[in-house]
Amino acid sequence: MVAPAEQQWRALARSSPWLWRTAHFDLVRTGADPVRLEAWLDRRNALRVEGGDGAPMVQELQRSRSSWFGWDEQGNADSGTSEVPFPWEATVTFDADGLVAVRPPGHEVAEELMWRDYRWVAMLDPVELADGSDERLGPATLVSELSAGERHGRLTWWAVVREGPGYDPRCTCCPLLDGQLADRIYDAEGGPRAPRLPRPTDLPTRWLVGLDRATGIVVSLQPLDGQSSVGGFEVVLHAVDETVQLAAPAVR
């Protein structure tokens, strides 16, 4: 299989909201808080999760609304609210690979259905691995050792990834790459250390990351060195863009 170019890998990491609508998958997290669960997700409607050391959960999608204020043509004050479109409702231009070259304004990140933390959100929309911060110069990540292979019957694009100077995690308390830069940003933001676990002195500097070629979902992320308190995770995609059962099963 032909390995992707760095530009292609980054484009896949920023394209997820425009590549799929429903997914059924298993997730296994390792680290200090290991978990195993099964999820059914329709990003237009709801998320259902079973396992994860808790009761089955169904979360319905809520559309955000924004307030506005202005003046009409006669100069009279006017105000109201409007619905905020979801990223996948925004028009984008696809490149020759069917991937998004630039996220549209207002959709630099997607924060829709979530389970437990923003690492879940970034797993499903890993744009933080593609595009850097507007406030710090440099790329979001340093990508090397690119390859392509089949994983659980699905094409996966692999890369060894390091934090770049512009790495901008969705949430600094639960980044995909829990290295020194994310830790420094968390401290600079005034994030509390308790009840967080004590941070190791030798945080990871390299991660092996696999992106599902059809969806852009991170299906594998494992630290290659250092000590990671959050660990890595593995995703097995059972179905994409098929009908999913979102209602919680009846209790017997």
Side-chain angles (χ1 to χ4, degrees), residues 132-145:
S133 169
D134 292 334
E135 300 177 357
R136 286 175 283 109
L137 297 177
T141 51
L142 307 177
V143 179
S144 63
E145 301 180 45

Side-chain angles (χ1 to χ4, degrees), residues 30-49:
T30 58
D33 187 21
V35 70
R36 181 185 298 269
L37 59 81
E38 186 173 9
W40 296 260
L41 171 63
D42 183 337
R43 68 192 330 163
R44 301 160 300 186
N45 295 299
L47 164 67
R48 172 184 158 209
V49 173

Side-chain angles (χ1 to χ4, degrees), residues 17 43 87 103 107-112 118 121-122 125 127 170:
R43 68 192 330 163
R103 299 274 286 228
H107 298 291
E108 290 78 11
V109 295
E111 297 177 1
E112 300 165 19
Y118 280 100
V121 178
D125 178 28
V127 65
R170 188 73 50 87

Side-chain angles (χ1 to χ4, degrees), residues 104-249:
H107 298 291
E108 290 78 11
V109 295
E111 297 177 1
E112 300 165 19
L113 294 159
M114 181 172 71
W115 175 83
R116 187 174 292 187
D117 56 35
Y118 280 100
R119 209 172 197 226
W120 168 278
V121 178
M123 174 187 79
L124 298 173
D125 178 28
V127 65
E128 68 186 57
L129 302 180
D131 300 323
S133 169
D134 292 334
E135 300 177 357
R136 286 175 283 109
L137 297 177
T141 51
L142 307 177
V143 179
S144 63
E145 301 180 45
L146 291 121
S147 63
E150 188 174 290
R151 178 184 179 277
H152 297 291
R154 300 181 63 88
L155 177 61
T156 304
W157 281 0
W158 296 92
V160 173
V161 181
R162 296 175 179 264
E163 291 175 301
Y167 182 51
D168 190 20
R170 188 73 50 87
C171 181
T172 54
C173 72
C174 42
L176 286 176
L177 309 180
D178 63 323
Q180 292 288 350
L181 179 57
D183 200 50
R184 289 197 300 271
I185 297 172
Y186 180 83
D187 280 341
E189 292 175 347
R193 281 296 171 183
R196 293 185 86 211
L197 295 171
R199 302 297 295 188
T201 56
D202 59 337
L203 289 163
T205 65
R206 300 185 305 133
W207 294 261
L208 180 62
V209 181
L211 302 179
D212 180 69
R213 173 59 183 87
T215 64
I217 294 172
V218 180
V219 290
S220 180
L221 186 147
Q222 297 295 338
L224 296 176
D225 60 9
Q227 298 182 51
S228 171
S229 60
V230 297
F233 60 82
E234 298 290 329
V235 172
V236 177
L237 282 165
H238 299 302
V240 173
D241 286 341
E242 298 180 6
T243 301
V244 293
Q245 178 56 256
L246 297 173

